[in-house]
Amino acid sequence: MTGSGPPGTTRAPWDFAAPWGARGNVTPLDGPVHWIEFGPSPLRTAPEAIAPEGPPVVFVHGLGGSHLNWCLIGPQLAAGRRVVALDLHGFGMTPGTRGNSTVQDNTRLLDRFVRTVTGTPVILVGNSMGGLISLLQAAAAPDTVAGLVLIDPALPLPLKAPDWQVASQFLLYSIPGLGELYLKMAQARQTPQLAVQRIIDLCFADPSRADPAMVTAAIALAVERQAAPHRDESLLAAARSLMRVVGRPRRYFATMAAVGVPVLLIGGTADRLVPVAAVRQAAARNPSWESAILAGVGHTPQLEVPGQVLSVLTDWLDRHFTLNG
């Protein structure tokens, strides 16, 4: 079925986000890109046809994530404004390769997406790697971004001992040959159900908070992705490029300082991947940013405590971006 969005857009054959009222689409942007739109309104025919309702919100997921990472907060934000979430190259239902799944490649994809699909400027909401990509977009193309929400973004780590499990996993990712072997062995010995549960155990401070419907949808997506070509190559390319960026803290801090739009930084005190000390360090270096630290929360607050994230996010939006204004 042909969609009414940008040229070439079609309705997606998958409906993983349907329980949350989201519609899936595929748009050709140097290859097929899957994205979803929340809310009851149909696709707009062109960016200039969007009614004045405040800047669109564009969600950007993290390493190993997908559009599903936003389904527990997207519907509530879609009352009165456009809200979409894309799958980056190599993740969700957007195919990727070693050659187009790096942080830099996906920043270019995000740039083309907001210019082609939503129109600009937009409010970028990014988690983990998606926060890093959103930050790079805001610094490189300030005309495209009206505001920035960084939820436990990938950040340079302060000088302290990291979580041993996380550190050892990323060390394996970083070693050519060994990273490929590690992923191949891991994929061979775990079911989609186990893979989803391991992600929850890693990213949640309290895994019992996982929404059952979201777990079901995540497993269905994982089953579908089993046949995706180059998925391991894409993950490793993204992970290695991410480590290179955060491994140059001076350059990264300069990128942060170059952002001139309102920024909301959200972190969890129990995040094992991005320690709260790194979030506090970023906040201290950028005093104009607003920040919220969520007690006892892990790496994906929008999934673990969506109500808390919505409260902080809607308050920030109400103060900085008035609808119909």
Side-chain angles (χ1 to χ4, degrees), residues 14-222:
W14 315 285
D15 60 355
F16 304 112
W20 298 276
R23 303 171 304 283
N25 309 279
V26 177
T27 298
L29 301 172
D30 293 330
V33 174
H34 177 253
W35 56 282
I36 62 171
E37 181 157 10
F38 295 99
S41 59
L43 286 171
R44 279 67 168 184
T45 57
E48 57 268 26
I50 299 174
E53 52 187 9
V57 171
V58 177
F59 290 123
V60 189
H61 65 76
L63 186 71
S66 75
H67 62 280
L68 287 177
N69 291 138
W70 306 105
C71 287
L72 300 187
I73 66 172
Q76 295 87 337
L77 293 177
R81 75 166 76 239
R82 193 172 188 195
V83 178
V84 304
L86 80 159
D87 284 337
L88 298 170
H89 280 311
F91 300 96
M93 298 312 299
T94 296
T97 66
R98 184 193 306 271
N100 71 359
S101 299
T102 67
V103 163
Q104 294 78 10
D105 291 314
N106 273 316
T107 302
R108 287 188 282 272
L109 171 60
L110 177 61
D111 181 78
R112 188 166 182 191
F113 180 85
V114 299
R115 294 180 190 275
T116 303
V117 175
T118 60
T120 61
V122 300
I123 298 167
L124 294 177
V125 182
N127 173 227
S128 193
M129 181 184 74
L132 167 58
I133 289 171
S134 299
L135 186 67
L136 293 175
Q137 176 66 17
D143 59 306
T144 67
V145 180
L148 195 57
V149 180
L150 306 174
I151 303 177
D152 288 287
L155 291 169
L157 300 180
L159 296 176
K160 59 174 292 186
D163 181 285
W164 71 267
Q165 180 181 350
V166 173
S168 61
Q169 183 168 317
F170 275 86
L171 177 61
L172 287 172
Y173 286 166
S174 70
I175 302 174
L178 188 57
E180 285 78 0
L181 179 62
Y182 169 73
L183 278 183
K184 183 178 180 180
M185 293 177 60
Q187 299 287 0
R189 63 174 181 258
Q190 68 182 12
T191 64
Q193 292 86 347
L194 180 57
V196 169
Q197 188 58 52
R198 284 182 171 173
I199 292 173
I200 292 171
D201 291 342
L202 178 64
C203 294
F204 282 46
D206 181 357
S208 70
R209 293 171 174 161
D211 180 86
M214 177 55 63
V215 173
T216 298
I219 292 171
L221 175 60

